[in-house]
Amino acid sequence: MTASYERIHYGLRPAKNVQRKMLVESIRRLSEFATVDSYRYIGFGSTYFSDFILFHKSLGIRNMISIERDISNRPRFEFNRPYNCIRMLFGESSEVLPTLAWNTKTILWLDYDGSLESSVLTDVKYFCASAVPGSVIIVTVNAEPRALDEQKPRLEELQKSLGKDRIPPDVKEGDLPEWGTASVFRRILASEVFETLSERNGGLADENKMEYKQLYYFCYRDGDRMLTTGGLVYERGQGPVIARCGFDRLDFLRFSQNAKSKPCILEVPKLTYKEIRHLDRQLPRVKGKKVTARRVPSTDIKQYEGIYRYFPTFAETEV
Amino acid sequence: MPNAENWIIDANPTKDFFISMLIKDIGTTRAIIDLVDNCVDGARRLRTNGDYDGLRIEIETAKNHFQISDNCGGIPVDLAREYAFRFGRPAGMAATPHSVGQFGVGMKRALFKLGKKFRIESTTQTSRFVVEEDVEKWKQKEKWEFEFRELEPRRQRVALSETGTTIRVWPLHPTIAESFSLETFRGRLAAELSEAHIQSTSNGLEIVFNGIPLQHQNLVLFQSQHMKPAHRRLVFYDGTKRVNVVLYAGIADSDPSAAGWYVFCNGRLVLSADQTTVTGWGETREETVPKYHNQFARFRGYAFFDSRYASLLPWNTTKTGVDSDSPRYRATRLEMVKLMRPVIDFLNRLDAEKDREITDDKPLQSAVKAAKPADLEDIATRPLFLAPKAAVVKVLPQTARIQYAKPLEKVRLAQKVLKVRTLREVGEKTFDYFYKSECES
């Protein structure tokens, strides 16, 4: 299988592009915990480093680590490293994460191409066992439902790959099509977080016990269905700090742990520049007034309204 | 109106039931080690500095009796009267700090388990007592009491060397007598005795079994300039009460039966070479830490829980395992998993290196060879296991297998022309023929 960076140009995945900018906007709000540029960012930069470029440019983060499993192409990754402050560490994330010092507030984006596997949960567990309060974990996995196969029901395959005890007991075969797999994956990832924190809390005094506040539950498809979920780990005593962050004012965030909670679905409508400019002049919308553009379907307009501040525009350029 | 006594329901345990319940839960070797625990607690009361030089515990398993004796200071009469014979530890009882005996059942359980009569004689510097009981007769008695047979609460001060406790049980229950007669049982008991109190024996306590002093092996991990075990300290508080945890993880000799985690509570080994989920190993190969298999035979982990307050430690009552629901144990287990993961990664790389065909360059194996066993006290704290990292080079297969079917008649003819016996040779020769004429020229 070719790695996704060889198949798609990262920058051209519009929904992912939107999501990345939304992440930045939410991370800015962490300034109640610590100045955002003092955070450490750990991600999988691949050859494009889109997230690193954005996080460095717009958040000022300098302590950056890119984990890369493809050791055989090491020189190529080194060559593409866009900034001096990015440290490249080669190996599987499950091997690299334990070798880092965990005394800094960290934003970890486990941005996988593949589906939810045990190794993903291993990384999540490691983060939750080690991260200092105020740290953020973001996990992206492919959540495309398995191809239908009567011999191999999706639920059974899922139980096989992750272990029966990890699948919530109420999940049925019929819950897995479309965005159902993403919804189940979100629950499994959240359970791993809660379980690990509960273990860790066994040794902590009440006010230091660790809590998890989910921030992200994005679903999007630039190709396959993808899920991004994650949130903030903090100490029980930091409740008021969280309140000051004002996460509730960002309407793309999703806090609910309810099994039936709805994701923020990122859909990027295809619009012309002229339409975009026309719509932008009416946004943000005045209460009671309708946003219109000639012949543009109203669903597209509604989608656009939700993401217009993050909307990607691509143009051909000679760099 | 019913009278008062009709409102009372009798829930008193019968002694018979109580004893049979009590002894079912524990194996014979473990019951005996429980008695050793009491001796060790004596040593701790006697020598608060932890130097046990000159102290000794002697254990004897004979045809029809069992005896354990020590010179560890004896049991004070008050302690015997108020606590040592009670079932369970009374609240408010002043406990031996960092004690091993914790639940107030060990001694009685062992006595009931082993035989029909017991005699306990204990001498401190200023007191002496003897308790002797026939268990069958005791069961018939209504009251939950034992009686001193001899009692000198205050006596002429004697030298420390004359103090100590001797417990004798006879006649043995038939199953116990049978076990004692088996060499394998005695071998197992000796092995368990020698490791159960490895910390105390390292500090000078001598354990003699049937006349032979038991040897103990020091706990070691391999160390060199390029290979250093992980060693962390954790502190937990329960209110103001402290539990210290010291963890080590690294590698040692390849030995599938010794690999795994060793968990100690106040110096007493409660889990030995554990390779189960209790100490963080997986149930499948794909988890955070994989299921144990023999390529991890070099793994060793040590977890020492220590507290003045023995009740805060995560051991079960038979001291044969940990209470995995204990919050402090759960938090520790998470750290154990974190410490062992890099060791497992290294052992996986070591294993991969072994499989490589190139024989001259095996840096990881050389690194293991270069490392020397180090005693745990000579290991510095460091949050992570350090080992040389060699890039995993994927060796591409140098050969490919070709498979195809052709009409039998043609194959037979080709075989005849080639003058070969097997079909495999037909395939190889025809390929060589083609290659020589079409590819090499």
Side-chain angles (χ1 to χ4, degrees):
Chain A
M1 200 182 94
T2 47
S4 70
Y5 73 89
E6 289 172 298
R7 281 179 279 131
I8 323 164
H9 187 314
Y10 268 40
L12 288 186
R13 300 198 285 190
K16 182 133 197 168
N17 182 303
V18 168
Q19 175 188 268
R20 207 180 288 128
K21 294 174 192 162
M22 288 175 164
L23 289 175
V24 164
E25 179 135 355
S26 65
I27 288 167
R28 253 191 214 115
R29 309 235 161 187
L30 293 174
S31 59
E32 292 292 336
F33 281 89
T35 51
V36 174
D37 57 11
S38 69
Y39 268 79
R40 168 173 70 174
Y41 176 67
I42 304 173
F44 305 159
S46 188
T47 47
Y48 292 99
F49 294 94
S50 314
D51 45 344
F52 284 81
I53 295 171
L54 187 67
F55 285 21
H56 181 59
K57 276 189 180 171
S58 43
L59 298 171
I61 296 177
R62 298 165 65 97
N63 184 352
M64 302 185 117
I65 293 171
S66 179
I67 300 176
E68 183 53 58
R69 67 193 299 192
D70 188 355
I71 302 175
S72 54
N73 285 315
R74 189 173 184 141
R76 186 167 177 201
F77 293 106
E78 301 274 12
F79 178 76
N80 280 292
R81 195 170 56 107
Y83 296 112
N84 195 27
C85 59
I86 301 171
R87 199 147 57 100
M88 295 291 310
L89 294 176
F90 289 88
E92 294 291 335
S93 46
S94 62
E95 279 198 52
V96 173
L97 292 177
T99 63
L100 303 176
W102 285 91
N103 46 15
T104 315
K105 287 195 179 62
T106 299
I107 297 154
L108 171 66
W109 188 357
L110 300 166
D111 189 4
Y112 303 99
D113 302 329
S115 187
L116 182 61
E117 294 166 13
S118 286
S119 61
V120 176
L121 297 172
T122 295
D123 290 348
V124 171
K125 189 173 193 76
Y126 197 86
F127 173 88
C128 295
S130 314
V132 296
S135 294
V136 169
I137 183 167
I138 308 163
V139 185
T140 300
V141 287
N142 184 315
E144 189 64 35
R146 237 172 245 273
L148 274 182
D149 180 347
E150 280 188 12
Q151 302 303 312
K152 294 179 174 175
R154 286 169 174 154
L155 186 57
E156 269 178 40
E157 291 300 302
L158 196 59
Q159 287 168 340
K160 255 187 243 165
S161 79
L162 295 176
K164 249 187 179 152
D165 53 340
R166 278 195 168 124
I167 317 297
D170 58 292
V171 171
K172 298 180 293 294
E173 181 71 19
D175 294 334
L176 295 171
E178 302 187 359
W179 288 114
T181 296
S183 160
V184 173
F185 281 2
R186 183 201 67 77
R187 291 175 65 190
I188 294 170
L189 284 160
S191 300
E192 193 71 20
V193 171
F194 286 119
E195 189 190 292
T196 310
L197 292 183
S198 132
E199 288 172 28
R200 186 172 169 183
N201 284 342
L204 298 173
D206 272 353
E207 68 272 21
N208 300 117
K209 288 208 193 306
M210 300 287 285
E211 303 269 1
Y212 171 64
K213 182 181 178 70
Q214 179 184 291
L215 299 175
Y216 313 115
Y217 179 15
F218 291 115
C219 288
Y220 62 94
R221 50 195 307 189
D222 290 320
D224 279 353
R225 285 187 167 84
M226 301 296 286
L227 160 76
T228 295
T229 185
L232 179 66
V233 294
Y234 63 98
E235 279 181 354
R236 204 166 277 178
Q238 291 173 318
V241 183
I242 299 229
R244 287 201 302 275
C245 293
F247 288 120
D248 48 348
R249 294 173 59 187
L250 298 175
D251 53 13
F252 53 81
L253 298 183
R254 295 289 181 274
F255 312 112
S256 170
Q257 283 300 334
N258 189 309
K260 292 198 172 72
S261 67
K262 294 270 177 286
C264 171
I265 295 186
L266 297 174
E267 279 175 301
V268 183
K270 293 179 183 67
L271 301 171
T272 68
Y273 292 127
K274 194 164 179 184
E275 288 160 353
I276 287 170
R277 261 179 234 117
H278 182 74
L279 289 170
D280 280 348
R281 275 157 41 110
Q282 303 167 65
L283 292 168
R285 188 159 58 96
V286 176
K287 228 182 176 177
K289 234 181 165 185
K290 243 186 134 183
V291 176
T292 57
R294 195 163 298 172
R295 294 279 172 182
V296 176
S298 60
T299 49
D300 283 11
I301 294 181
K302 199 154 179 262
Q303 283 166 6
Y304 183 72
E305 204 189 321
I307 61 172
Y308 75 99
R309 288 174 53 225
Y310 317 97
F311 198 80
T313 45
F314 297 116
E316 190 177 29
T317 67
E318 193 155 332
V319 286
Chain B
M1 180 84 183
N3 63 35
E5 78 191 66
N6 286 346
W7 285 71
I8 305 298
I9 299 166
D10 189 359
N12 268 314
T14 67
K15 284 179 179 167
D16 228 0
F17 164 79
F18 188 79
I19 290 171
S20 70
M21 286 275 288
L22 204 57
I23 63 178
K24 248 182 209 161
D25 276 352
I26 195 163
T28 309
T29 57
R30 289 287 146 179
I32 292 171
I33 294 172
D34 262 345
L35 294 172
V36 177
D37 289 349
N38 287 336
C39 306
V40 172
D41 274 349
R44 290 202 179 154
R45 283 193 297 272
L46 197 62
R47 304 266 185 91
T48 44
N49 65 358
D51 176 4
Y52 304 137
D53 233 12
L55 297 184
R56 136 195 193 109
I57 301 167
E58 289 188 59
I59 298 144
E60 193 185 320
T61 59
K63 205 168 164 207
N64 211 13
H65 77 264
F66 168 86
Q67 182 167 304
I68 179 168
S69 56
D70 68 52
N71 62 349
C72 299
I75 305 168
V77 168
D78 290 349
L79 194 72
R81 189 184 283 127
E82 305 290 334
Y83 160 62
F85 291 92
R86 285 284 294 270
F87 291 92
R89 164 159 296 192
M93 161 80 206
T96 306
H98 303 274
S99 69
V100 191
Q102 146 63 14
F103 300 98
V105 301
M107 181 179 76
K108 282 79 69 182
R109 176 159 58 187
L111 300 177
F112 295 149
K113 175 98 191 171
L114 296 175
K116 295 170 182 158
K117 278 189 213 170
F118 62 84
R119 181 179 200 273
I120 299 169
E121 177 173 359
S122 193
T123 310
T124 69
Q125 281 193 286
T126 55
S127 69
R128 182 181 163 275
F129 72 83
V130 174
V131 172
E132 193 176 315
E133 197 68 60
D134 181 321
V135 179
E136 277 310 313
K137 284 185 188 153
W138 183 75
K139 277 188 197 168
Q140 311 305 322
K141 293 180 192 164
E142 183 76 10
K143 287 205 163 166
W144 290 70
E145 289 169 353
F146 296 103
E147 264 173 52
F148 288 113
R149 170 159 294 204
E150 294 167 34
L151 180 64
E152 298 174 61
R154 274 173 297 278
R155 68 196 282 245
Q156 191 79 38
R157 203 175 170 83
V158 298
L160 254 183
S161 57
E162 286 171 43
T163 66
T165 304
T166 298
I167 298 175
R168 193 179 174 89
V169 184
W170 84 99
L172 300 173
H173 291 306
T175 52
I176 302 294
E178 195 186 326
S179 294
F180 282 9
S181 72
L182 297 173
E183 200 153 333
T184 50
F185 174 87
R186 297 198 301 269
R188 202 169 73 236
L189 177 58
E192 289 182 25
L193 282 170
S194 67
E195 69 173 15
H197 284 288
I198 204 154
Q199 264 193 325
S200 300
T201 47
S202 301
N203 290 335
L205 182 70
E206 192 179 9
I207 299 179
V208 179
F209 177 54
N210 288 340
I212 302 159
L214 294 176
Q215 302 295 317
H216 67 271
Q217 272 189 321
N218 277 356
L219 303 175
V220 294
L221 288 170
F222 283 7
Q223 187 164 248
S224 72
Q225 200 186 340
H226 304 290
M227 182 174 299
K228 298 194 191 305
H231 170 26
R232 285 203 60 190
R233 291 166 185 282
L234 312 172
V235 180
F236 299 124
Y237 285 95
D238 183 78
T240 55
K241 297 175 180 170
R242 221 159 98 124
V243 177
N244 291 310
V245 183
V246 180
L247 300 174
Y248 297 88
I251 64 166
D253 285 327
S254 179
D255 179 353
S257 66
W261 277 98
Y262 294 74
V263 180
F264 296 81
C265 288
N266 276 354
R268 164 72 138 82
L269 185 71
V270 294
L271 264 187
S272 174
D274 187 83
Q275 302 164 352
T276 70
T277 54
V278 172
T279 53
W281 295 92
E283 276 169 341
T284 65
R285 279 176 154 226
E286 287 81 30
E287 286 171 72
T288 309
V289 172
K291 184 181 171 66
Y292 175 82
H293 48 110
N294 281 347
Q295 79 192 62
F296 306 132
R298 284 185 181 279
F299 177 83
R300 299 289 190 287
Y302 302 103
F304 300 93
F305 289 80
D306 194 87
S307 179
R308 214 185 139 76
Y309 309 96
S311 62
L312 298 182
L313 300 180
W315 41 15
N316 63 17
T317 70
T318 50
K319 296 173 204 157
T320 49
V322 296
D323 168 12
S324 10
D325 291 332
S326 142
R328 281 171 290 274
Y329 184 72
R330 276 163 45 98
T332 306
R333 183 177 173 276
L334 195 60
E335 292 300 319
M336 288 157 64
V337 167
K338 281 165 64 179
L339 288 193
M340 74 195 286
R341 181 70 229 188
V343 185
I344 296 299
D345 288 335
F346 173 75
L347 292 175
N348 279 331
R349 289 201 298 273
L350 185 69
D351 195 59
E353 187 186 81
K354 218 180 282 169
D355 293 343
R356 265 160 71 180
E357 290 192 15
I358 316 115
T359 47
D360 50 356
D361 184 30
K362 295 198 167 172
L364 302 186
Q365 290 200 49
S366 327
V368 171
K369 270 192 201 132
K372 297 272 171 291
D375 286 343
L376 296 187
E377 55 255 45
D378 297 330
I379 290 168
T381 50
R382 52 173 296 123
L384 272 176
F385 171 71
L386 174 80
K389 208 176 172 178
V392 181
V393 180
K394 276 188 193 145
V395 184
L396 293 170
Q398 301 294 312
T399 59
R401 181 173 292 274
I402 302 170
Q403 200 175 22
Y404 55 80
K406 284 286 164 194
L408 186 61
E409 204 180 326
K410 289 186 179 178
V411 175
R412 290 292 178 217
L413 188 56
Q415 191 176 12
K416 212 170 155 188
V417 174
L418 287 164
K419 296 190 178 108
V420 294
R421 299 173 78 185
T422 65
L423 295 178
R424 179 198 171 105
E425 285 172 294
V426 175
E428 287 171 352
K429 296 279 183 201
T430 51
F431 182 87
D432 291 346
Y433 178 81
F434 170 83
Y435 193 86
K436 205 170 173 190
S437 61
E438 294 294 327
C439 304
E440 277 185 352
S441 52

